[in-house]
Amino acid sequence: MSGFMFFYTCLLLTVLFAVMLFYICFLRKNRSLLKMKLIRTKREAIAQSRIESTQTLHSIDESDAYKTFYEYAEGKRKGTPTISEWVLLKKEIIQHNETFGKKLEELSLSEIEYQVSMLIKCQFKPKAISKLTCMSKESVTSIRRRLAKKHLNLEKATPQHWDLFVKSL
């Protein structure tokens, strides 16, 4: 009798093991499919935000405020933007994209963080941003990284994460 029970116990364990393997394979396949779906969704969202950002940028880069900042960045104007020029740029951006202003207001950014974000939205490079804000390029990079870490809740945040977020607004 004990040999008979041993046989059925081994058979039962074998079946359970096979079911577990099948379930693990099933979960891995589903996880893989979900990852692919998530990646595709992210790519579509990024593509859409780039289209929207480009449309907004085209209308912003035609504004006098943008042209003024561009001239400062290129050295065609001496000094740095005045407070009234910053206010004008902010108005232009918000006029073309209300979501941008509302979202950044919700985040309670400091003035310099807001300025850096506006310049990112206008497609200025870190070097130009550093010139326009009178900071080193490293300080601008540090602000972008810190904002991504703080507001996007990313463990390994990079400055580019913040750039993508701002451009997506």
Side-chain angles (χ1 to χ4, degrees):
M1 193 79 167
S2 74
F4 187 66
M5 287 183 74
F6 178 74
F7 172 74
Y8 278 112
T9 303
C10 287
L11 183 62
L12 180 63
L13 288 174
T14 304
V15 170
L16 285 174
F17 183 71
V19 169
M20 283 179 27
L21 282 177
F22 175 77
Y23 185 67
I24 289 170
C25 290
F26 175 76
L27 289 177
R28 283 185 179 166
K29 184 177 180 183
N30 277 349
R31 187 173 70 191
S32 176
L33 290 173
L34 286 174
K35 275 185 180 179
M36 288 173 30
K37 205 179 243 187
L38 179 63
I39 289 170
R40 184 174 37 247
T41 304
K42 282 183 179 179
R43 285 182 181 160
E44 289 170 359
I46 289 171
Q48 183 62 32
S49 71
R50 284 182 180 159
I51 290 169
E52 291 169 1
S53 180
T54 302
Q55 291 169 346
T56 301
L57 178 63
H58 286 306
S59 51
I60 291 173
D61 68 4
E62 295 169 0
S63 72
D64 289 337
Y66 174 86
K67 290 175 184 172
T68 299
F69 276 78
Y70 181 79
E71 289 172 0
Y72 278 118
E74 293 295 311
K76 295 177 182 175
R77 284 186 185 227
K78 294 188 187 242
T80 58
T82 64
I83 293 172
S84 61
E85 289 168 333
W86 282 107
V87 170
L88 186 60
L89 181 65
K90 182 178 180 178
K91 283 181 184 177
E92 287 288 334
I93 292 171
I94 292 173
Q95 179 182 348
H96 290 93
N97 185 347
E98 288 181 30
T99 308
F100 176 81
K102 287 178 184 175
K103 186 63 179 174
L104 291 187
E105 292 294 331
E106 289 173 10
L107 298 176
S108 300
L109 303 180
S110 71
E111 186 174 344
I112 192 67
E113 292 170 342
Y114 199 96
Q115 289 174 346
V116 168
S117 298
M118 285 193 304
L119 294 172
I120 291 168
K121 184 69 174 172
C122 292
Q123 306 289 328
F124 283 100
K125 301 286 182 211
K127 184 177 179 182
I129 294 172
S130 69
K131 186 171 185 176
L132 291 167
T133 57
C134 296
M135 294 190 307
S136 69
K137 187 178 173 202
E138 292 77 18
S139 295
V140 171
T141 301
S142 176
I143 287 173
R144 292 164 47 226
R145 181 181 295 108
R146 187 172 27 81
L147 288 170
K149 190 173 187 176
K150 180 178 178 185
H151 296 292
L152 303 179
N153 298 320
L154 298 172
E155 264 184 50
K156 295 184 179 181
T158 66
Q160 290 76 19
H161 287 121
W162 184 251
D163 295 354
L164 287 173
F165 170 73
V166 168
K167 289 174 184 178
S168 74
L169 298 177

